[in-house]
Amino acid sequence: MSAHKKSEVKKITTHQLQEMKLRGEKIAMLTAYDYSMARIIDGAGIDVILVGDSASNVMAGNETTLPITLDQMIYHASSVVKAVARALVVVDIPFGHYQGSSGEALRSAIRIMKESGGHAVKLEGGSEIKDSVLRILSAGVPVMGHLGLTPQSIYKFGTYTVRAREEAEANKLLEDALLLQECGCFALVLEKIPAALAKKVTAALRIPVIGIGAGPDVDGQVLVMQDMLGITNQFKPRFLRRYADLYTTITDAVGNYVSDVKARAFPNADEKY
Ligand code: KIV
């Protein structure tokens, strides 16, 4: 599919994602944080764009997702929204902007919706953020849940290894997934958990489950765009498939440009006014 005009396109809605689950059509989701890349991936047919707080890592160079601010998330999300004709745009509420109280969570969600034009928000956690989820939903803002490896809690876990391998944690995850569905979340992300558990949760839920490092038996997949395009060449988790090697492509292109400039080969006679 090529880049398309906003007016000609049937937009993806939360209801359509539900219908996709019902008819067994897998949902394709990627992150994006800026206008140019969002325009490309929307035109290429992506169903859901996540303006993830992974922007903290891949755009700002932070070690964790914790430092990114609400203003920064709104800046990224508004750039993405301007580019998108078809995809549903989901925006992460960053760390520290929904855990304090449900009122704070609602204010954060409303700022994101009003100031960025995003279509939904995503929050990490289960029963501990129930009040925040309910309060946001009560204002008519769609909420996507996120369980398993939740990077905003990295200092609690200590590592980015697979979550919910133990029975107690797996049971809590299933309970939390059912609770988020009961609250009214329209979809759920499961990050880095055993494939068998992801399959069980997906079968138990009516709402779509989108996996990252959660195996094939979920309703859709999400990856960080910079990872799947091979821009971040240091990050090599087992679940990641690279669909391009842009690190090499860009390095070669920039190297050729530098050589041409130094050798006075650019610009040539046609590349001037
Ligand atoms: O911030 C992010 O990119 C995410 C995905 C990894 C699901 O939450």
Side-chain angles (χ1 to χ4, degrees):
M1 200 192 298
S2 58
H4 33 230
K5 274 201 198 143
K6 287 198 177 198
S7 54
E8 292 165 1
V9 171
K10 191 162 189 291
K11 286 181 185 300
I12 299 282
T13 62
T14 57
H15 299 282
Q16 276 175 281
L17 298 181
Q18 178 69 67
E19 284 164 13
M20 286 165 83
K21 172 161 182 147
L22 282 174
R23 62 174 182 266
E25 180 183 340
K26 298 280 185 185
I27 297 163
M29 170 162 148
L30 278 177
T31 64
Y33 320 98
D34 71 292
Y35 176 86
S36 306
M37 297 304 274
R39 186 162 180 275
I40 296 172
I41 67 171
D42 185 58
I46 204 74
D47 298 313
V48 183
I49 295 181
L50 172 66
V51 184
D53 58 1
S54 49
S56 179
N57 309 108
V58 296
M59 300 304 286
N62 294 313
E63 208 173 300
T64 72
T65 57
L66 275 64
I68 199 159
T69 66
L70 188 57
D71 284 337
Q72 287 166 340
M73 287 302 298
I74 290 170
Y75 165 78
H76 286 297
S78 65
S79 309
V80 167
V81 168
K82 283 178 215 144
V84 168
R86 176 179 174 272
L88 183 85
V89 179
V90 181
V91 185
D92 266 337
I93 306 188
F95 176 69
H97 288 278
Y98 60 94
Q99 294 92 344
S101 70
S102 61
E104 179 189 35
L106 179 60
R107 278 191 295 281
S108 304
I110 286 177
R111 275 203 64 201
I112 287 173
M113 301 299 280
K114 263 178 136 44
E115 296 176 38
S116 78
H119 310 139
V121 297
K122 177 164 82 60
L123 286 72
E124 295 182 6
S127 54
E128 52 297 325
I129 57 154
K130 180 182 169 195
D131 291 346
S132 295
V133 170
L134 286 171
R135 190 90 184 261
I136 295 171
L137 284 164
S138 74
V141 177
V143 175
M144 177 180 268
H146 183 156
L147 297 172
L149 175 64
T150 46
Q152 292 182 9
S153 310
I154 182 58
Y155 291 113
K156 176 178 158 198
F157 297 139
T159 72
Y160 287 103
T161 52
V162 178
R163 305 299 313 168
R165 280 194 195 277
E166 306 300 326
E167 201 182 333
E169 196 182 339
N171 289 341
K172 156 99 168 92
L173 188 144
L174 178 57
E175 276 169 27
D176 279 342
L178 290 164
L179 176 77
L180 290 172
Q181 170 175 270
E182 223 38 58
C183 288
C185 287
F186 73 92
L188 175 67
V189 166
L190 290 181
E191 181 165 355
K192 229 173 166 188
I193 62 166
L197 176 60
K199 182 178 181 178
K200 189 172 167 187
V201 174
T202 304
L205 294 191
R206 297 182 306 277
I207 58 173
V209 175
I210 317 284
I212 172 165
D217 298 312
V218 287
D219 303 306
Q221 298 291 331
V222 56
L223 287 174
V224 169
M225 186 175 53
Q226 276 73 0
D227 298 338
M228 62 82 76
L229 291 179
I231 295 175
T232 49
N233 67 340
Q234 307 282 0
F235 183 61
K236 293 177 181 160
R238 190 199 301 183
F239 69 77
L240 175 62
R241 185 180 298 178
R242 292 199 195 285
Y243 286 83
D245 179 8
L246 290 196
Y247 189 91
T248 305
T249 304
I250 294 170
T251 303
D252 290 350
V254 173
N256 289 337
Y257 169 71
V258 171
S259 304
D260 284 353
V261 170
K262 303 275 180 201
R264 297 158 202 265
F266 175 79
N268 65 22
D270 295 331
E271 291 164 332
K272 67 179 183 186
Y273 298 100

